[in-house]
C-alpha cells in the first residue's frame, strides 16, 4: 500500500524506548483455543447497517488483546465501547459481556480465552453505532493443527450466518504475527485460508485490513525509536508469501499508486512483565498503534 493512503509519515513516528531487556512480551497474554462447548443457537444481530469488523486470526495471534487495546483508546476519545448483550441470550453470554467490561480496566495480562467463544462489541458515538466488532475463538478462523482445512466452507454456523446472510459491510482484519514462531507450512496454510475467503466470501463492498501484530518483536524495523512502516510491510510479505498476490490491485489506473487492495497496519497490543506467583502485568502500547488501526478502520467504514 502507498504510504500516502494513511495520511501519516510513519517513518517519522517516534514510539519511545523498546528495550527488550526491560520489556517482556510473554505469550501468556495472548489467545489459546477455548476448550468449552460452543453454544451457537439464538444468534441475533439487530443492526443490519453498521459495518461488522471481524478480527480474523488463529489462536495466539492476539485478537483479544487487540480488541482491549483499541477499546481503551476509543474510550479516551469519548466513544462508548460495550458488549452487545442482545447478540446471544442466556446467562453464559451475559457473563462474557460482564467479563469484557471488567477486562477493559485490568492491569493484568488476559487469559487466552478471556472472552470465551464469541462476543459482539459495539462502538458508539453520539448515540450512533459506528461499527460492530466480532471477537471469536482463534480456531474458528484457522486451526494450525488442521492445516488442510483452508476452505471457506469450514466456518462455524454462527460465522457463516454473519458472513453470508447479513447485508452489513464486513471489514476483515486479518491478523499476521511478527513473532516468527510459526513454521512456514503453517503460514502458507493460513494464507491459503485467506485466499479462499477472498474468492468465496469477500464481497466488493467489503474492506480488508492486514494487521501485523507484535511488530515490537522485530527490532530491525526500528531505528532511534522510529518505526519504518515500509520495512514492516515488506517483512510481513516475506513471512506470509503470496498474501500480497491474493489482494493484488488489478485496476489499471489505481494500481499505479496502490498495488494492493488492503490497508496495512503495524500493531503492538502492549508489554507484559512477568510477576512471580501472579499473572504478567500488562502495560498498554503507545497510542500510535490503536490510532493507526482506528484511522484505517474509519476509512474502511466511510469508503
Amino acid at each position: 500500500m502507498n504510504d500516502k493512503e494513511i495520511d501519516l509519515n510513519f517513518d517519522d513516528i517516534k514510539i519511545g524506548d523498546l528495550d527488550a531487556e526491560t520489556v517482556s512480551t510473554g505469550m501468556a497474554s495472548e489467545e489459546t483455543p477455548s476448550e468449552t462447548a460452543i453454544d451457537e443457537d439464538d444468534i441475533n444481530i439487530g443492526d443490519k447497517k453498521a459495518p461488522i469488523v471481524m478480527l480474523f486470526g488463529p489462536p495466539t495471534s492476539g485478537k483479544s488483546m487487540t480488541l482491549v487495546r483499541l477499546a481503551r483508546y476509543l474510550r479516551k476519545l469519548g466513544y462508548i465501547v460495550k458488549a452487545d448483550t442482545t447478540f446471544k441470550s442466556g446467562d453464559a453470554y451475559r457473563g462474557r459481556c460482564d467479563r469484557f467490561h471488567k477486562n477493559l480496566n485490568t492491569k493484568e495480562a488476559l487469559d487466552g480465552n478471556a472472552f470465551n467463544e464469541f462476543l459482539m462489541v459495539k462502538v458508539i458515538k453520539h448515540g450512533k453505532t459506528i461499527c460492530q466488532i466480532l471477537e471469536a475463538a482463534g480456531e474458528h478462523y484457522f486451526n494450525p493443527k488442521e492445516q488442510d482445512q483452508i476452505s471457506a466452507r469450514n466456518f462455524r454456523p454462527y460465522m457463516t450466518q454473519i458472513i453470508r446472510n447479513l447485508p452489513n459491510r464486513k471489514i476483515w482484519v486479518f491478523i499476521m504475527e511478527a513473532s516468527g514462531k510459526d513454521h512456514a507450512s503453517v503460514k502458507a496454510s493460513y494464507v491459503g485460508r485467506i485466499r479462499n475467503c477472498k474468492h468465496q466470501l469477500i464481497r466488493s463492498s467489503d474492506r480488508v485490513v492486514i494487521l501485523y501484530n507484535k511488530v515490537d518483536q522485530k527490532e530491525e524495523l526500528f531505528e532511534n525509536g522510529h518505526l519504518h512502516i515500509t520495512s514492516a510491510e515488506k517483512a510481513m510479505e516475506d513471512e506470509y508469501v503470496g498474501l500480497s498476490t491474493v489482494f493484488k490491485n488489478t485496476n489499471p489506473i489505481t494500481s499505479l499508486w496502490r498495488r494492493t487492495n488492503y490497508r496495512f497496519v503495524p500493531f503492538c497490543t502492549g508489554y507484559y512483565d512477568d510477576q512471580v506467583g501472579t499473572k504478567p502485568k500488562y502495560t498498554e502500547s503507545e497510542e500510535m498503534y490503536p490510532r493507526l488501526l482506528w484511522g484505517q478502520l474509519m476509512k474502511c467504514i466511510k469508503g
Side-chain angles (χ1 to χ4, degrees), residues 10-71:
F10 292 94
D11 289 339
D12 291 336
I13 296 175
K14 186 174 182 63
I15 67 170
D17 185 11
L18 297 178
D19 186 352
E21 293 183 0
T22 59
V23 177
S24 171
T25 54
M27 295 301 294
S29 65
E30 303 295 358
E31 299 176 50
T32 54
S34 171
E35 296 180 354
T36 57
I38 305 301
D39 56 335
E40 301 183 53
D41 297 332
D42 196 27
I43 294 295
N44 175 64
I45 297 181
D47 190 333
K48 303 297 193 299
K49 294 184 178 181
I52 297 174
V53 177
M54 296 189 300
L55 299 178
F56 191 114
T60 77
S61 60
K63 295 188 306 303
S64 292
M65 290 307 299
T66 295
L67 178 55
V68 166
R69 185 65 189 97
L70 179 62

Side-chain angles (χ1 to χ4, degrees), residues 40 76 83 99 112 124 147 163-164 176 202 208 237 249 278:
E40 301 183 53
K76 288 182 180 180
R99 285 194 298 276
I124 302 169
Q147 297 180 37
I163 295 170
R164 293 186 182 274
M176 327 304 285
I202 297 180
V208 174
E237 292 176 348
N249 184 4
T278 62

